[in-house]
Amino acid sequence: MTENTGAGYGGAPGSRGRTTIADVVVEKIAGMAARDVRGVYALGSGFARSMGSMRERMPGAGRGRSATRGVSVEVGEKQAAIDLEIVVDYGVSITDVAGEVRENVISAVERMAGREVVEVNIMVSDVKLPDEEDEGEERQRVQ
């Protein structure tokens, strides 16, 4: 979580001090990078998405999708390990999507957070079928 960039009188201004990156920052970077891959329908299990959807509708809970839903990380001073739970669109190659997600997440985290990504574990928890309604659409119809 902390990167010591050096110290010392007379050193370059960029090397005086420390940069700290919170775990949630790496979670958000990884979540956004995974969502950018074609064939990823959503992150998180059905239960997590349902709870998140309910939470988003509560007054004062904020709007929009949680960028960290379905993402967990372990971040050290120089390395990060990332676990993702994804839902893929029906008809896509799951292995191809997982490979693209892995590449995109590693690239984004290493570029933005400066941490070596040692592993990206992906669990595909569901497939979004074309005729399935979104959970949010179903709830609004029932209300």
Side-chain angles (χ1 to χ4, degrees):
M1 179 144 112
T2 302
E3 175 185 332
N4 190 355
T5 57
Y9 181 73
S15 67
R16 295 182 194 176
R18 234 188 323 206
T19 302
T20 303
I21 300 173
D23 291 4
V24 70
V25 172
V26 176
E27 286 177 348
K28 287 182 178 183
I29 292 168
M32 293 305 294
R35 282 184 181 87
D36 284 345
V37 173
R38 188 166 181 242
V40 173
Y41 175 75
L43 268 66
S45 66
F47 179 74
R49 291 192 323 271
S50 297
M51 294 305 292
S53 179
M54 287 175 30
R55 196 173 21 248
E56 289 167 3
R57 293 168 195 227
M58 296 173 122
R63 302 301 279 161
R65 292 181 178 175
S66 171
T68 61
R69 186 180 310 138
V71 183
S72 64
V73 301
E74 290 181 38
V75 181
E77 288 185 27
K78 297 179 182 179
Q79 297 179 325
I82 301 164
D83 294 324
L84 300 169
E85 185 174 352
I86 67 172
V87 177
V88 298
D89 291 318
Y90 175 80
V92 301
S93 166
I94 293 173
T95 55
D96 289 349
V97 170
E100 289 180 43
V101 166
R102 198 170 276 114
E103 287 179 28
N104 214 30
V105 168
I106 290 170
S107 175
V109 171
E110 289 183 347
R111 179 176 47 84
M112 294 177 68
R115 299 297 184 267
E116 176 192 7
V117 178
V118 294
E119 65 182 9
V120 176
N121 299 310
I122 300 171
M123 184 179 100
V124 179
S125 62
D126 201 356
V127 173
K128 168 68 169 85
L129 299 175
D131 59 346
E132 286 181 331
E133 290 185 22
D134 287 340
E135 292 172 8
E137 291 175 7
E138 185 178 329
R139 271 195 201 88
Q140 292 202 359
R141 187 187 70 199
V142 173
Q143 291 178 351

